């Protein structure tokens, strides 16, 4: 946006469109972070209550790694 201030900024609609695209990106990142927060909270809670010697966090990471390697 600041680069538009150096010259002719053009219509405000151009700036608004750029701002709305950026806002959509920020909102998507926030949603991703909220999902990550919920997942980590769940795993931490399970680690605190599980009596199984296998750590739920490690098991989840291994499951994710295995699912990534399936398509490779």
């Amino acid at each position: 946006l600041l680069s538009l201030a150096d010259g002719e900024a053009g219509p405000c609609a151009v700036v608004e469109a750029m701002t709305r695209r950026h806002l959509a990106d920020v909102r998507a990142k926030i949603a991703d972070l909220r999902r990550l927060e919920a997942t980590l909270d769940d795993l931490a809670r399970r680690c605190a209550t599980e009596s199984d010697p296998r750590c739920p966090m490690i098991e989840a990471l291994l499951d994710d790694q295995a699912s990534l390697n399936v398509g490779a």
Side-chain angles (χ1 to χ4, degrees):
L1 289 174
L2 290 177
S3 66
L4 295 174
D6 292 338
E8 302 249 343
C12 192
V14 172
V15 175
E16 179 192 10
M18 290 174 65
T19 301
R20 292 203 179 273
R21 282 193 301 272
H22 184 66
L23 182 59
D25 290 342
V26 168
R27 285 178 174 156
K29 288 176 184 177
I30 290 170
D32 287 343
L33 287 171
R34 285 188 175 139
R35 283 190 295 276
L36 178 58
E37 176 189 29
T39 299
L40 290 173
D41 186 48
D42 176 60
L43 288 169
R45 191 171 295 130
R46 287 175 46 204
C47 282
T49 60
E50 291 283 328
S51 60
D52 191 337
R54 294 173 305 198
C55 174
M57 178 68 78
I58 300 299
E59 293 297 318
L61 291 171
L62 291 173
D63 288 346
D64 283 349
Q65 184 66 36
S67 67
L68 290 174
N69 289 334
V70 169

